[in-house]
Every structure is written in structure tokens, then in C-alpha cells.
Amino acid sequence: MTLSTHPGSLLRQKVQSKNGLLVAGAANALAARVIQNAGFQAVYLSGAGITNTFYGVPDLGFIGLSDLANHTAATRDAVNLPINDIPCAPWSAREPMPFKSKIN
């Protein structure tokens, strides 16, 4: 995979084009595959969706970073789409989520 075909690079290019981007949300790898097969250009992976789907509880901090990393890695392996998430808690804009190093 070259840099120009890397999902993150593709997402960056699409956002910079400022044409708008419709992104569907997934809670697991199977849902992400359905989203990819439906023709979407990116997938939104939600911590709340993972918590709700896999643990059957509300998104109140019950899921750990390693669980999020494992589910994100499984989704990454299942699709060739950029995966996007905007974490809300317990991290903040002043203290970015230390997530990327867990899934590389």
C-alpha cells in the first residue's frame, strides 16, 4: 500500500477537497463491511457503538483502551476504508487520546 492509497491519506484528501463526505457509523467489523459494500467512502467507528454492541451497556467509560484498539484493528483488517472517530471522553482536546500507538 502506497502513501497515496493509504486509507488515512485518502480520507485527508477527501476532507481537504471540501466537497462534503457522507460517513456511515459502524460498531463492528461486519457493519463496516456492509458500509464498504454499500459504497461509502469512509466509516465512523464509535466507542459508544462498540460499548453498546459488545457489552450491552451505555457509554459510561466501561470499555478499556485495549478493547477499543482490538475492535478498531479488527475493523481495519476487514475493510479498505478510512476509519474515523472523534473521541469525547475520558480524553479531551487538551489531552489527545493515546490510541494510535495501540493499533499500529
Side-chain angles (χ1 to χ4, degrees), residues 8-100:
S9 296
L10 294 173
L11 179 62
R12 208 168 288 108
Q13 291 169 7
K14 292 176 187 311
V15 170
Q16 289 173 348
S17 72
K18 299 183 181 187
N19 290 327
L21 184 63
L22 186 60
V23 180
N28 57 40
L30 179 60
R33 279 191 179 172
V34 170
I35 289 166
Q36 178 174 277
N37 291 342
F40 286 89
Q41 298 177 357
V43 62
Y44 170 77
L45 191 59
S46 160
I50 293 170
T51 301
N52 303 153
T53 301
F54 287 97
Y55 301 105
V57 296
D59 185 24
L60 297 173
F62 294 110
I63 192 168
L65 182 58
S66 62
D67 287 336
L68 284 172
N70 290 336
H71 290 294
T72 301
T75 302
R76 177 201 59 209
D77 292 343
V79 297
N80 294 319
L81 295 176
I83 298 173
N84 185 37
D85 184 23
I86 302 172
C88 299
W91 304 276
S92 70
R94 289 173 286 155
E95 183 184 339
M97 186 172 77
F99 189 61
K100 186 175 180 181

